[in-house]
């Protein structure tokens, strides 16, 4: 890498699914040991360590929401919960011996590309010792996560009673027999509400937009089934394939005017009509935007929970929040004992608050906020040589397992690092023309989807209304784009 044939020194930010995958594959495929992973948390897991709210679970079946190189025959049910997924990731990290390379409780504050030496200068805060350290890396890999920075709407700051964001759940806050207000109707709220409804005295749900909620096939796996997954060749792999391909079919539901889209609307409406007999409540819960424009959530328990006598669903706009009350446009005033903000994440902040300074001293996030985020294959940018962004711009999925995307990206990145070594190059960067062409193709493809066609105010879009969080095509199409690397799109020095 540096002309001395020494392995590259690699800095990795984050130890969730992405960071663990990076760490495993650097060692497995390239035999590289000279990498350090920094995570500000106390363990691996990312999303699955931090989100501990009641009902937190995966909405992609677990046999697919796991690494292809580490299938798990012991998943307890179709959609596993947070603790089980976290345990899975810890076991992967142990098995592949990546713990030794991880510095926990270390927050990366900034990363700056030093053009003179062709390396990344990375400033890290050792949290327990409150000490800042500078590391120098040949290669920087950000696996800092996409749904990570909680979104706290300013409006609720005035409330002085006990409150918590779904992603920073505080189990010491008592909900039993309390009047609880929950703001939001997205994926987290859909999971939390059925779990707490029977515990609280009264639950007030504040909904801005009704979500599309579709049926979920959930059941536990018997010990015989687990045995078959572990011992009969091909059984688990077949299930994984079945889930993968049936999810792939769903991508056509997100294209404009497709049969699959119409079928999905019928499925959503069927669930709503069957589970919500009250016409007034049903009207409030009927989504007013096209199927899939915002995240679709599977649940069999959400609608029945909202129909319970101790639940009030408020859909009119919140006009005033005081230290102990919430008032709506229709004049309703609620004085909750506890406030839960299921208000999602600042997706457009990407790796923030970390500052990444690119070529020419430009702050990458500021540039993305101004010009729109862009990364070739969603992984690498012209302005940041020797840097890779796992789950970068336009890589999220509305229909399939992101773990598969992570593996596609890591494998692509491994091939680039390998090529650097073959060419004895110390710097690789994406050609501007290749990045521009790639981004144009994404935006063109996006126009055929519901996301790129309708403005439904989803978190998939940035402040310009451009969809920056999602991949517009099938996952197979992403696999095909990333399985081989077009080295002519890169400059090696
Ligand atoms: C509640 C919830 C449910 C979800 N369910 C699904 C699902 O069903 N299906 C699906 O496909 N996806 C789901 N997701 C998306 C989920 O985030 C991804 O599937 C996956 O976990 C992302 O892994 P990651 O490693 O990229 O990011 P994360 O899990 O967010 O991990 C990022 C890590 O980076 C660390 N980090 C970030 N910045 C720094 C820094 N500056 N310094 C040090 N450390 C840093 C963080 O501490 C964290 O540990 C869900 C997300 C949430 C929040």
């Amino acid at each position: 890498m540096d002309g001395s044939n020494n392995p590259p020194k690699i800095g990795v930010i984050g130890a969730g699914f992405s960071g663990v995958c990076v760490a495993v594959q650097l060692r497995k495929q390239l035999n590289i040991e000279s990498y350090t992973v920094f995570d500000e948390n106390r363990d691996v897991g990312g999303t699955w360590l931090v989100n501990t709210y009641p009902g937190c679970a995966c909405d992609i079946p677990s046999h697919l929401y796991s690494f292809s190189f580490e299938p798990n025959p012991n998943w307890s049910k179709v959609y596993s919960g947070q603790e089980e997924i976290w345990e899975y990731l810890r076991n992967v990290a142990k098995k592949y011996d990546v713990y030794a390379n991880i510095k926990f409780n270390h927050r990366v504050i900034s990363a700056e590309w030093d053009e003179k030496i062709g390396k990344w200068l990375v400033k890290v805060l050792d949290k327990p010792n409150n000490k800042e350290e500078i590391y120098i890396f040949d290669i920087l890999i950000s696996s800092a996560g996409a749904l990570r920075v909680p979104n706290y709407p300013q409006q609720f700051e005035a409330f002085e009673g006990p409150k918590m964001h779904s992603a920073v759940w505080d189990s010491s806050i008592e909900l039993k027999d309390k009047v609880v207000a929950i703001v939001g109707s997205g994926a987290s709220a859909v999971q939390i509400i059925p779990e707490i409804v029977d515990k609280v005295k009264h639950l007030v749900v504040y909904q801005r937009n009704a979500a599309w909620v579709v049926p979920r096939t959930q059941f536990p796996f018997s010990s015989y089934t687990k045995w078959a997954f572990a011992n009969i060749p091909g059984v688990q792999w077949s299930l994984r394939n079945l889930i993968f391909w049936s999810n792939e079919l769903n991508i056509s539901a997100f294209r404009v005017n497709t049969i699959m889209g119409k079928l999905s609307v019928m499925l959503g409406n069927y669930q709503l009509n069957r589970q919500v007999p009250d016409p007034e409540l049903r009207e409030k819960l009927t989504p007013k935007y096209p199927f899939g424009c915002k995240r679709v959530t599977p649940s069999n328990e959400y609608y029945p929970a909202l129909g319970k006598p101790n639940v009030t669903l408020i859909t009119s706009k919140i006009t005033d929040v005081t230290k102990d009350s919430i008032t709506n446009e229709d004049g309703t005033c609620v004085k909750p004992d506890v406030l839960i903000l299921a208000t999602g994440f600042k997706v457009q902040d990407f790796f923030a608050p970390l500052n990444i300074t690119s070529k020419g001293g430009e702050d990458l996030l500021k540039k993305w906020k101004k010009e729109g985020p862009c990364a070739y294959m969603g992984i690498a940018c012209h302005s940041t040589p020797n840097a890779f962004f796992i789950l970068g711009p336009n890589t999220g999925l509305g229909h399939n397992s992101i773990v598969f995307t992570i593996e596609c990206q890591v494998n692509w990145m491994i091939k680039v690092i390998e090529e650097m070594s073959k060419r004895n190059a110390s710097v690789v960067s994406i050609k501007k023309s290749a990045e521009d062409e790639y981004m144009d193709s994404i935006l063109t493809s996006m126009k055929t989807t519901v996301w790129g066609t309708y403005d439904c105010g989803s978190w998939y879009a940035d402040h310009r209304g451009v969809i920056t969080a999602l991949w517009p095509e099938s996952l197979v199409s992403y696999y095909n784009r990333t399985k081989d690397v077009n080295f002519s799109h890169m400059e090696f020095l």
Side-chain angles (χ1 to χ4, degrees), residues 1-3 113 117-118 138-139 386 420 424-428 492-493:
M1 285 278 316
D2 54 4
W113 174 248
I117 56 170
D138 298 299
I139 291 172
N386 291 15
M420 289 174 81
N424 205 16
S426 56
V427 177
V428 61
F492 291 87
L493 296 170

Side-chain angles (χ1 to χ4, degrees), residues 335-486:
K335 291 196 166 198
D337 298 317
V338 179
L339 173 62
I340 298 171
L341 298 172
T343 42
F345 299 88
K346 290 187 166 180
V347 177
Q348 301 299 332
D349 279 8
F350 291 93
F351 40 77
L354 155 70
N355 287 103
I356 296 187
T357 309
S358 50
K359 227 160 39 180
E362 206 171 12
D363 182 294
L364 186 64
L365 199 52
K366 279 194 189 143
K367 180 181 152 86
W368 281 3
K369 294 232 159 158
K370 203 164 61 194
E371 299 167 13
C374 64
Y376 177 80
M377 300 295 157
I379 311 174
C381 303
H382 166 71
S383 61
T384 51
N386 291 15
F388 301 94
F389 300 89
I390 308 302
L391 298 187
N394 288 109
T395 54
L397 296 173
H399 73 292
N400 216 333
S401 171
I402 202 75
V403 179
F404 190 88
T405 306
I406 292 171
E407 288 197 63
C408 289
Q409 298 200 311
V410 172
N411 288 335
W412 184 92
M413 178 198 77
I414 292 282
K415 287 181 187 132
V416 178
I417 298 176
E418 194 175 34
E419 188 68 13
M420 289 174 81
S421 163
K422 278 189 199 153
R423 296 183 187 213
N424 205 16
S426 56
V427 177
V428 61
S429 52
I430 303 299
K431 290 180 182 164
K432 180 82 174 78
S433 54
E435 183 178 280
D436 290 346
E437 256 173 54
Y438 177 81
M439 288 313 295
D440 282 350
S441 75
I442 297 292
L443 294 179
T444 306
S445 186
M446 196 63 82
K447 285 185 188 144
T448 64
T449 67
V450 287
W451 310 303
T453 306
Y454 305 107
D455 177 10
C456 57
S458 86
W459 54 260
Y460 298 150
D462 70 2
H463 63 284
R464 306 162 302 159
V466 177
I467 303 295
T468 59
L470 286 187
W471 169 248
E473 296 168 13
S474 69
L475 193 43
V476 171
S477 136
Y478 189 73
Y479 168 79
N480 284 333
R481 287 236 205 169
T482 49
K483 77 178 183 335
D484 300 311
V485 182
N486 187 339

Side-chain angles (χ1 to χ4, degrees), residues 231-387:
N231 295 295
I232 305 179
V235 172
Q236 195 177 184
W237 198 247
S238 306
L239 176 66
R240 193 179 150 92
N241 270 312
L242 183 73
I243 305 165
F244 179 87
W245 288 107
S246 51
N247 281 351
E248 278 297 81
L249 276 181
N250 288 337
I251 187 65
S252 65
F254 301 130
R255 304 244 163 233
V256 182
N257 283 332
T258 58
I259 293 175
M260 202 59 194
K262 288 179 184 138
L263 283 175
S264 303
V265 168
M266 279 167 63
L267 190 66
N269 285 337
Y270 166 75
Q271 165 106 324
L272 187 58
N273 290 332
R274 199 172 57 95
Q275 294 192 323
V276 187
D278 173 357
E280 202 183 314
L281 180 61
R282 200 186 316 138
E283 169 54 24
K284 284 181 173 177
L285 289 171
T286 303
K288 307 290 184 298
Y289 53 86
F291 182 86
C293 193
K294 284 168 176 260
R295 191 168 177 86
V296 178
T297 307
S299 173
N300 302 334
E301 297 83 24
Y302 180 61
Y303 288 146
L306 290 179
K308 296 204 171 186
N310 66 334
V311 178
T312 306
L313 177 67
I314 298 184
T315 53
S316 91
K317 200 173 162 209
I318 295 173
T319 48
D320 192 30
V321 180
T322 67
K323 63 181 179 149
D324 63 354
S325 70
I326 302 175
T327 307
N328 290 76
E329 217 164 41
D330 64 3
T332 329
C333 178
V334 174
K335 291 196 166 198
D337 298 317
V338 179
L339 173 62
I340 298 171
L341 298 172
T343 42
F345 299 88
K346 290 187 166 180
V347 177
Q348 301 299 332
D349 279 8
F350 291 93
F351 40 77
L354 155 70
N355 287 103
I356 296 187
T357 309
S358 50
K359 227 160 39 180
E362 206 171 12
D363 182 294
L364 186 64
L365 199 52
K366 279 194 189 143
K367 180 181 152 86
W368 281 3
K369 294 232 159 158
K370 203 164 61 194
E371 299 167 13
C374 64
Y376 177 80
M377 300 295 157
I379 311 174
C381 303
H382 166 71
S383 61
T384 51
N386 291 15

